[in-house]
């Protein structure tokens, strides 16, 4: 069935059989390195046309899509690594393709200091875009949380935390949600009290460039699972790490979806494992018992095709769709290495269209 007809078909089946379903999509690090900025620059503005055309049919048909915005979006000058700053046209392109929630708690969120953090929030707010993880001040955090979103009849609560901000301390009253267990416990409890049926914690953690989670990630995931968190979605390593869906070990009546790292969504990183990432699709379900759950999950492999003589801009594509040209062997190597990890370590999360 064509992808654009799937949501309509699902809605009709839901009405007939009396259950609810929703589709959520998560992608990893949306970055802007120097080469990306240079390619998009166009006579004083920035043109991101074509960046996400290949995946737009997938993202736009999801009920809710989440992206990790791993750069401030502030005022000029714009810059790549090590202190990022991207133009607002970048978030426009992400919004146009269908992303609903922008995660802002990551290690680069203070690259342009308190002013950059506030400008990022201002740019997102002025476009009516959802965001979570950083706040202009304590009062703003109190107003924003608990954050519960209606995802096609499901009340989904969101939280976003980071391990750190590269040694840059928050100043002038801005708030960054760092990983702190007492705070997380309080925030989860507040979401439940406010009526969240499902809770999703998006978390910036782990060791960069390591394909397997470290002990800290595992222990923190166990802590979140014990709190009853339904979806634990990780980022930061810039490479993929395993994922699983299984009954919660502390409450077997519900599932937990655990993704240790989605890898890069779009970047100019060039080692084999950093050229792409995973798009994870989670299926939410509510049956006759009226209890919401994460029913299933699968993933797709994405690859960033750099700008070159054939492409004005960088392009995000499904890895297997890069069928010719100089980037084909790079896409194949990325996909081979990622599948090797997922085939060995994933639990219950197959590749879309491919049996595990």
């Amino acid at each position: 069935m064509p992808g654009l007809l799937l949501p309509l078909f699902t809605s009709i089946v839901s009405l007939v059989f009396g259950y609810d379903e929703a589709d959520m999509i998560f992608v990893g690090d949306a970055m802007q390195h120097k080469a990306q900025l240079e390619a998009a620059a166009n006579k004083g503005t920035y043109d991101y046309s074509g960046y996400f055309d290949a995946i737009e049919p997938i993202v736009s048909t999801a009920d809710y899509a989440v992206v990790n915005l791993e750069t401030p979006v502030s005022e000029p000058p714009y810059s790549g690594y090590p202190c990022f700053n991207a133009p607002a046209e970048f978030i426009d392109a992400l919004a146009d393709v269908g992303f609903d929630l922008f995660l802002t708690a990551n290690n680069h969120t203070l690259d342009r200091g308190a002013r950059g953090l506030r400008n990022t929030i201002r740019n997102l707010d002025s476009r009516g875009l959802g965001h979570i993880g950083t706040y202009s001040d304590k009062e703003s955090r109190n107003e924003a949380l608990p954050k519960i979103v209606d995802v096609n009849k499901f009340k989904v609560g969101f939280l976003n935390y980071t391990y750190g901000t590269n040694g840059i301390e928050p100043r002038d009253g801005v708030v960054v949600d760092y990983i702190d267990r007492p705070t997380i416990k309080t925030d989860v409890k507040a979401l439940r009290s406010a009526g969240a049926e499902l809770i999703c914690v998006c978390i910036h953690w782990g060791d960069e460039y390591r394909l397997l989670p470290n002990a800290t990630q595992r222990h923190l995931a166990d802590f979140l699972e014990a709190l009853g968190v339904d979806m634990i979605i990780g980022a930061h390593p810039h490479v993929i790490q395993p994922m699983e869906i299984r009954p919660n070990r502390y409450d077997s009546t519900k599932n937990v979806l655990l993704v240790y790292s989605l890898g890069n969504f779009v970047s100019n990183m060039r080692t084999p494992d950093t050229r792409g990432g995973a798009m994870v699709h989670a299926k939410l379900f509510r049956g006759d018992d009226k209890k919401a759950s994460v029913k299933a999950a699968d993933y797709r492999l994405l690859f960033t095709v750099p700008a070159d003589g054939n492409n004005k801009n960088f392009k995000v594509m499904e890895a297997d769709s890069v069928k010719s040209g100089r980037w084909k062997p790079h896409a194949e190597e990325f996909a081979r290495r990622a599948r090797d990890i997922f085939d060995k370590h994933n639990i219950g999360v197959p590749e879309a269209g491919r049996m595990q």
Side-chain angles (χ1 to χ4, degrees):
M1 178 174 297
L4 294 177
L5 296 180
L6 184 58
L8 176 61
F9 175 78
T10 300
S11 298
I12 293 173
V13 172
S14 174
L15 288 172
V16 172
F17 291 97
Y19 63 79
D20 296 319
E21 287 192 341
D23 295 292
M24 294 184 64
I25 280 177
F26 301 88
V27 298
D29 306 329
M31 310 186 76
Q32 282 292 282
H33 289 91
K34 181 181 178 182
Q36 294 170 278
L37 293 168
E38 291 175 345
N42 181 30
K43 298 179 181 179
T45 63
Y46 287 81
D47 176 13
Y48 289 96
S49 58
Y51 243 65
F52 307 115
D53 287 358
I55 61 166
E56 189 272 342
I58 305 170
V59 178
S60 64
T61 55
D63 294 299
Y64 204 70
V66 181
V67 58
N68 177 46
L69 181 64
E70 193 154 0
T71 175
V73 180
S74 189
E75 57 200 1
Y78 303 120
S79 57
Y81 181 84
C83 287
F84 289 98
N85 183 33
E89 287 90 340
F90 183 51
I91 58 173
D92 288 337
L94 290 163
D96 287 345
V97 78
F99 286 102
D100 302 287
L101 182 65
F102 291 70
L103 308 176
T104 58
N106 56 66
N107 58 306
H108 287 289
T109 196
L110 290 175
D111 279 5
R112 287 302 177 97
R115 185 183 181 93
L117 183 151
R118 288 195 172 105
N119 281 337
T120 301
I121 292 172
R122 190 175 299 114
N123 278 317
L124 291 165
D125 283 343
S126 68
R127 290 160 171 78
L129 300 174
H131 57 89
I132 190 171
T134 59
Y135 310 90
S136 296
D137 49 43
K138 290 182 179 179
E139 291 74 18
S140 298
R141 186 183 194 274
N142 291 337
E143 292 173 3
L145 301 183
K147 184 177 183 63
I148 299 177
V149 176
D150 184 335
V151 180
N152 196 26
K153 301 180 183 178
F154 291 84
K155 294 180 179 179
V156 182
F158 289 92
L159 294 165
N160 178 212
Y161 305 95
T162 180
Y163 75 93
T165 46
N166 292 344
I168 306 173
E169 296 294 328
R171 298 181 182 276
D172 193 28
V174 299
V175 176
V176 177
D177 273 350
Y178 293 104
I179 295 170
D180 175 77
R181 292 193 180 202
T183 299
I184 294 173
K185 185 174 182 179
T186 298
D187 290 344
V188 170
K189 183 178 180 180
L191 280 171
R192 291 290 185 203
S193 297
E197 298 177 278
L198 299 168
I199 293 178
C200 176
V201 174
C202 299
I203 194 157
H204 215 69
W205 60 1
D207 296 324
E208 289 186 333
Y209 319 121
R210 299 294 298 271
L211 291 165
L212 295 176
N214 62 28
T216 299
Q217 287 171 275
R218 293 184 183 279
H219 294 157
L220 187 54
D222 187 64
F223 169 76
L224 294 169
E225 184 180 358
L227 291 179
V229 172
D230 302 276
M231 292 172 276
I232 305 166
I233 310 295
H236 174 61
H238 298 302
V239 297
I240 59 90
Q241 291 182 345
M243 54 189 75
E244 55 190 83
I245 187 169
R246 51 177 166 72
N248 185 302
R249 290 171 294 180
Y250 304 91
D251 180 359
S252 60
T253 66
K254 62 190 302 182
N255 289 333
V256 58
L257 170 62
L258 169 58
V259 179
Y260 280 111
S261 176
L262 290 165
N264 286 331
F265 174 52
V266 60
S267 79
N268 189 42
M269 292 188 175
R270 300 179 182 179
T271 59
D273 296 322
T274 62
R275 288 187 176 273
M279 173 190 287
V280 169
H281 161 235
K283 174 71 74 176
L284 312 185
F285 180 82
R286 186 193 295 108
D288 292 337
D289 61 1
K290 305 303 180 183
K291 185 173 182 179
S293 65
V294 184
K295 180 180 180 180
D298 58 30
Y299 73 89
R300 299 172 187 266
L301 292 177
L302 304 179
F303 180 82
T304 298
V305 176
D308 59 20
N310 298 315
N311 306 306
K312 176 195 178 298
N313 262 332
F314 286 64
K315 297 179 183 292
V316 179
M317 304 176 66
E318 290 194 64
D320 289 347
S321 69
V322 184
K323 297 185 180 299
S324 62
R326 62 182 293 193
W327 304 113
K328 180 176 182 289
H330 296 284
E332 290 175 340
E333 182 179 19
F334 162 75
R336 177 183 59 78
R337 293 169 65 92
R339 286 180 177 127
D340 183 59
I341 291 295
F342 287 151
D343 289 348
K344 288 179 180 177
H345 300 282
N346 277 18
I347 299 174
V349 184
E351 186 172 0
R354 177 172 174 257
M355 296 299 293
Q356 191 176 26

